Amino acid sequence: MINQEHKRIVTGDRPTGKLHIGHYFGSLQNRVKLQDEYETFILVADVQALTDNFNNPEKVKQNVREIVMDNLAVGLDPNKSTIYLQSMVHEVAELTVFYSNLVTIARLQRNPTVKTEIAQKKEVFGESVTYGFLGYPVSQAADITALDGTLVPVGEDQLPLIEQCREIVRKFNSIYGETLYEPQAYLGENKRIKGLDGNEKMGKSLGNAIYLADSEEEITQKVMNAITDPARIKKDDPGNPNICMVSYYHNLFSNKEEQEAVCSECRAGKRGCVACKRQLAKNMIEALRPIRQRRKYYEERPEEVKEILMEGTKKAQKIAAGTMERVKEAMKLDYFKN
Ligand code: ATP
Ligand code: MG
């Protein structure tokens, strides 16, 4: 049932906020790079977003459009890549039920990403996490396999979830016969982008992000407030670029020559932080300009955005229906077929 030649990207984002440069370097950039080589499906994970935002459905709804626009803004071509809405692919819910027999509660509780996230979400869950949130890796496995995904471009925090998906696939195939594709994670060079405040992860809800939708003024203002070497007080104090967020982002947005000058002049106390920040803001504004411009195009055309998502969802539904036929046959749930 499995075609060894088959190649397809399935990945996505939770509509819990606009996307930022962490998402860009962690995953979006790779989606764009690979969209000519791979058939590409991007899911807007609204059902997954509800697992920890069940009491705020309006937030999830509002952000669906933002996520679609962010993906289009970075250069995903709607004629090549498909963007779709998770909640409208019903097979995902059905597969989640089937897969839940193949995962133990202890294994879910040991998943390092789930563990960290539960610890961060005490205010949502209190002392006892919901069944839905604990089980979201299972529904994410359903997302990827429903669409027969083979490659999943993601940031580093997603690796334990992809690993859990692979385990579910192997277990399914060993019990019911070769039916599902086992996907692989695809990590970029910059698998985890730090926040403006020095936090290990730039996050949608941490107030430490530069969003793809930010204006030139917002970018400048955020860069001017970024954390630098705290021991450096006067301009001619020697600085340590290794603990400076401005230097960190120069490595992502400035050319090699500039990066080297930033480091050596900072260490020698020859470059002030303000000048260094201004240069970074200028480079960031420049690099993000085409993204901002494409985003603006779609902001002005909400109907076009809706149409892209609707068409994409229809395409995803067809593929998921095919997977479900294979799965039901393998699981002997095809009573009326023969
Ligand atoms: P949430 O807090 O709602 O989970 P999030 O910022 O983690 O939001 P997701 O929608 O969960 O965003 O993730 C979308 C993709 O972006 C995933 O592949 C994830 O690994 C990647 N990603 C998110 N933040 C970063 C980051 N700071 N650096 C690199 N990749 C990231
Ligand atoms: Mg996340």
Side-chain angles (χ1 to χ4, degrees):
M1 277 203 229
I2 294 276
N3 165 13
Q4 300 300 342
E5 305 297 305
H6 168 78
K7 275 167 70 163
R8 182 176 292 145
I9 283 180
V10 178
T11 187
D13 314 291
R14 293 153 39 94
T16 51
K18 291 180 187 162
L19 300 183
H20 51 62
I21 58 173
H23 300 112
Y24 180 71
F25 287 104
S27 179
L28 301 173
Q29 198 180 35
N30 288 330
R31 301 176 193 177
V32 176
K33 185 178 88 182
L34 296 169
Q35 69 177 336
D36 289 320
E37 194 188 331
Y38 281 79
E39 210 186 339
T40 297
F41 284 78
I42 309 297
L43 98 137
V44 183
D46 55 345
V47 178
Q48 191 183 117
L50 283 169
T51 58
D52 52 341
N53 292 278
F54 52 84
N55 50 2
N56 201 350
E58 193 53 36
K59 169 179 158 189
V60 174
K61 182 179 181 189
Q62 295 299 332
N63 280 303
V64 167
R65 200 170 86 91
E66 303 291 345
I67 295 290
V68 179
M69 290 196 295
D70 282 326
N71 272 280
L72 294 168
V74 296
L76 272 170
D77 177 347
N79 296 314
K80 291 182 194 158
S81 299
T82 306
I83 308 179
Y84 70 99
L85 194 59
Q86 184 190 25
S87 58
M88 288 184 70
V89 180
H90 303 151
E91 287 80 1
V92 168
E94 213 171 344
L95 287 175
T96 304
V97 174
F98 299 157
Y99 296 170
S100 62
N101 295 326
L102 310 178
V103 189
T104 66
I105 291 165
R107 174 66 181 88
L108 288 166
Q109 285 169 331
R110 272 201 313 273
N111 183 310
T113 303
V114 176
K115 231 167 135 173
T116 313
E117 290 176 345
I118 290 175
Q120 286 167 348
K121 293 174 200 289
K122 280 263 185 295
E123 82 286 3
V124 184
F125 297 123
E127 285 314 301
S128 180
V129 69
T130 59
Y131 167 63
F133 190 82
L134 183 66
Y136 93 75
V138 183
S139 104
Q140 188 163 316
D143 289 326
I144 300 168
T145 54
L147 271 283
D148 291 332
T150 58
L151 195 70
V152 193
V154 280
E156 191 177 40
D157 63 303
Q158 290 288 313
L159 285 185
L161 296 164
I162 308 299
E163 194 42 48
Q164 185 134 37
C165 171
R166 288 163 60 87
E167 279 176 34
I168 291 171
V169 168
R170 288 197 291 266
K171 186 134 192 197
F172 187 103
N173 287 347
S174 74
I175 298 171
Y176 305 113
E178 288 291 313
T179 311
L180 303 173
Y181 290 91
E182 187 174 328
Q184 272 194 332
Y186 183 93
L187 282 186
E189 229 179 293
N190 301 296
K191 45 192 193 264
R192 183 185 294 258
I193 301 298
K194 295 183 192 177
L196 287 159
D197 56 354
N199 190 304
E200 276 310 301
K201 189 181 170 218
M202 182 175 280
K204 279 178 190 141
S205 51
L206 299 171
N208 64 2
I210 293 196
Y211 293 96
L212 300 175
D214 277 350
S215 66
E216 298 191 10
E217 296 71 31
E218 284 168 315
I219 295 174
T220 306
Q221 194 215 343
K222 287 180 179 179
V223 169
M224 296 317 280
N225 288 326
I227 297 292
T228 53
D229 175 359
R232 200 168 179 218
I233 302 185
K234 293 196 300 301
K235 186 177 163 214
D236 43 9
D237 288 343
N240 177 3
N242 295 339
I243 53 169
C244 170
M245 295 320 293
V246 178
S247 155
Y248 173 81
Y249 298 121
H250 266 297
N251 291 336
L252 298 168
F253 286 96
S254 304
N255 63 38
K256 274 268 163 292
E257 228 171 90
E258 284 174 304
Q259 289 172 24
E260 279 160 22
V262 163
C263 278
S264 60
E265 289 174 26
C266 173
R267 283 187 208 286
K270 284 191 189 150
R271 168 188 290 256
C273 292
V274 172
C276 199
K277 286 174 170 175
R278 287 208 186 287
Q279 189 185 354
L280 172 64
K282 182 171 154 280
N283 292 351
M284 259 190 194
I285 286 170
E286 217 41 63
L288 298 174
R289 176 165 293 127
I291 297 179
R292 261 194 320 278
Q293 282 172 345
R294 258 194 304 263
R295 202 177 195 284
K296 190 153 185 301
Y297 171 94
Y298 288 108
E299 281 165 9
E300 287 162 1
R301 291 166 180 79
E303 283 310 311
E304 194 173 330
V305 175
K306 207 171 184 177
E307 185 72 21
I308 289 170
L309 187 62
M310 240 159 57
E311 286 308 310
T313 302
K314 283 187 204 152
K315 224 171 133 186
Q317 284 167 336
K318 279 207 189 95
I319 297 178
T323 307
M324 189 49 77
E325 265 192 39
R326 294 199 323 264
V327 164
K328 287 202 163 166
E329 194 185 326
M331 293 182 75
K332 316 267 178 241
L333 294 171
D334 55 346
Y335 303 110
F336 301 117
K337 275 245 161 134
N338 40 52

